[in-house]
Amino acid sequence: MTSAPAASAPETSPATPSPRCLVGVVGLGRMGRAFAENLLADGHPIVVWDAFQTQIDAMARPGVVAATKLADLAECDVVFSSLPDDEAVTAVAAGAGGLVKIMKAGAVHISMSTISPTMSRRLAAWHGECGQGYVAAPVLGNPDLARARTLFILAAGPDAAMQKARPLLDRLGQKLFVIGEDAAAANLVKLAGNVLTALTLQSMGEVLALLRKSGIDPRVGFDIFTNSLFDSRVHRTYGGKIVDERYSPPGMTVPLAVKDLRLALAEAETNSVPMPATSLVRDRLVAMVAHGWADLDWSALGLLAARDAGLPDLVAPSSQAQSDTRGTNAHPDRAAAPVKLIDQVYPPSGSRPAPAGGGSSVLIA
């Protein structure tokens, strides 16, 4: 596999909307709908399509054309797709009446999906044969960040297609990284990013379970770590979900995470790159599916770590959604945990722990 060109410096999204054009959006899940709403807010007339009519109906508003079939997107200058996996993308792009067959020459398909690099290369070839452009533009971030236009977008594709896609992509995220002309490179970088996130979730879950079982409030550890050496967005965002056991609604469901790590491991095998830690975490995600937690966020790796440590659930996995609808994560059934003096948690160098009953501040688990 040839190495990809170095990514360009990230570019901050411009304050002004991109030139107006007719835009199609295929796939109206939480991410796709956020893209559609932001494109519409920028003044672009949009045509939307989804496999489920209810998703199309939910987008009914002025400026939106509801497509009854993919052929209704034939006049679009650009078509975005936000789909769950290779199979869904293949059906939409190469199936009967799919995008490859109906898009006009010069139009550009921008795939925001997390798919395999192999699939991305196929899409680029299919579109290229029909005189169409193809840009892979997977994202780092979740649907909330998509709505707020604060995603990090990883883009790759031929220069002509990229020039057409760039003004739109600039508006959908806070930073755009243009990786090169090989569309597959963007998908591989995206998979690599998800591997890093999954490994971080596993490690956060383990250390927070260790603190909690030792009688230390895991929020104290979370506060210390994220305000010292581990202050990344991933540690803060997902570590916060773990300490609060806030796993629903999911930003990334467990089956999608399993799929992404499987794709990354397939690329690693093809290139003879051992990834033992990734293999382990992939199996941990499969274990979550076996527990019946497929509808939870992948940060529930922290819940699995707590279960393995013999710790009781603060919120039962089956009641996650109901808990979140109350707008709080209070845990009325939480048993009182041992109290440790703060000096016993991280005593100053050369000092002794304060005696029980002393005047130090206390930490309550």
Side-chain angles (χ1 to χ4, degrees):
M1 178 178 177
T2 58
S3 59
S8 68
E11 302 170 10
T12 304
S13 297
T16 56
S18 56
R20 190 171 180 269
C21 61
L22 181 61
V23 180
V25 180
V26 174
L28 299 172
R30 295 176 65 203
M31 195 74 81
R33 180 169 176 172
F35 296 145
E37 289 175 343
N38 285 338
L39 289 163
L40 184 65
D42 280 350
H44 301 288
I46 63 174
V47 183
V48 298
W49 183 89
D50 191 274
F52 297 95
Q53 186 62 42
T54 53
Q55 298 288 74
I56 299 174
D57 294 342
M59 279 297 300
R61 65 202 67 184
V64 177
V65 175
T68 59
K69 55 188 180 301
L70 287 169
D72 294 338
L73 286 78
E75 294 305 313
C76 291
D77 303 296
V78 175
V79 177
F80 285 85
S81 63
S82 181
L83 300 163
D85 52 35
D86 286 22
E87 290 74 19
V89 172
T90 300
V92 163
L99 296 179
V100 172
K101 293 181 173 63
I102 63 95
M103 287 173 61
K104 61 187 180 182
V108 177
H109 175 194
I110 303 175
S111 171
M112 312 292 280
S113 308
T114 301
I115 56 177
S116 69
T118 297
M119 185 72 247
S120 205
R121 287 194 186 94
R122 288 174 183 164
L123 286 165
W126 292 336
H127 282 296
E129 289 170 359
C130 295
Q132 304 150 357
Y134 173 74
V135 171
V139 304
L140 299 177
N142 58 34
D144 291 336
L145 298 185
R147 283 190 292 275
R149 302 180 189 253
T150 53
L151 294 167
F152 297 90
I153 301 177
L154 315 172
D159 185 64
M162 185 65 66
Q163 291 305 314
K164 197 163 188 175
R166 190 177 210 140
L168 297 167
L169 293 174
D170 274 334
R171 292 287 302 165
L172 294 180
Q174 62 171 299
K175 289 183 180 178
L176 173 65
F177 295 86
V178 178
I179 298 170
E181 295 208 9
D182 178 8
N187 298 102
L188 184 56
V189 173
K190 162 63 175 177
L191 293 174
N194 279 8
V195 166
L196 287 174
T197 300
L199 268 60
T200 301
L201 299 183
Q202 177 65 28
S203 61
M204 288 286 283
E206 290 179 11
V207 298
L208 293 173
L210 172 64
L211 296 183
R212 183 180 161 201
K213 194 162 187 183
S214 301
I216 300 171
D217 189 336
R219 290 174 182 77
V220 171
F222 173 74
D223 181 62
I224 292 169
F225 298 146
T226 58
N227 285 292
S228 57
L229 296 180
F230 308 96
D231 59 348
S232 73
R233 287 180 175 88
V234 173
H235 286 94
R236 288 183 176 277
T237 300
Y238 290 108
K241 288 188 175 187
I242 293 172
V243 295
D244 291 336
E245 292 201 345
R246 183 167 29 90
Y247 304 128
S248 183
M252 162 97 86
T253 61
V254 177
L256 287 179
V258 172
K259 178 262 298 183
D260 290 354
L261 266 64
R262 181 179 70 247
L263 294 178
L265 287 168
E267 288 296 309
E269 181 178 343
T270 298
N271 290 283
S272 300
V273 178
M275 299 183 76
T278 305
S279 297
L280 172 63
V281 176
R282 183 258 180 194
D283 285 349
R284 299 288 287 173
L285 290 163
V286 171
M288 292 167 65
V289 176
H291 277 287
W293 302 345
D295 59 343
L296 297 185
D297 187 80
W298 59 335
S299 58
L301 281 165
L303 178 62
L304 187 61
R307 283 277 186 94
D308 287 351
L311 291 164
D313 299 337
L314 301 182
V315 177
S318 61
S319 66
Q320 282 283 326
Q322 292 90 328
S323 172
D324 284 350
T325 58
R326 295 195 299 266
T328 178
N329 277 287
H331 308 309
D333 58 339
R334 184 175 186 175
V339 173
K340 285 201 174 188
L341 298 171
I342 195 165
D343 287 344
Q344 291 177 321
V345 179
Y346 39 100
S349 177
S351 68
R352 292 186 177 181
S360 300
S361 299
V362 297
L363 303 175
I364 303 176

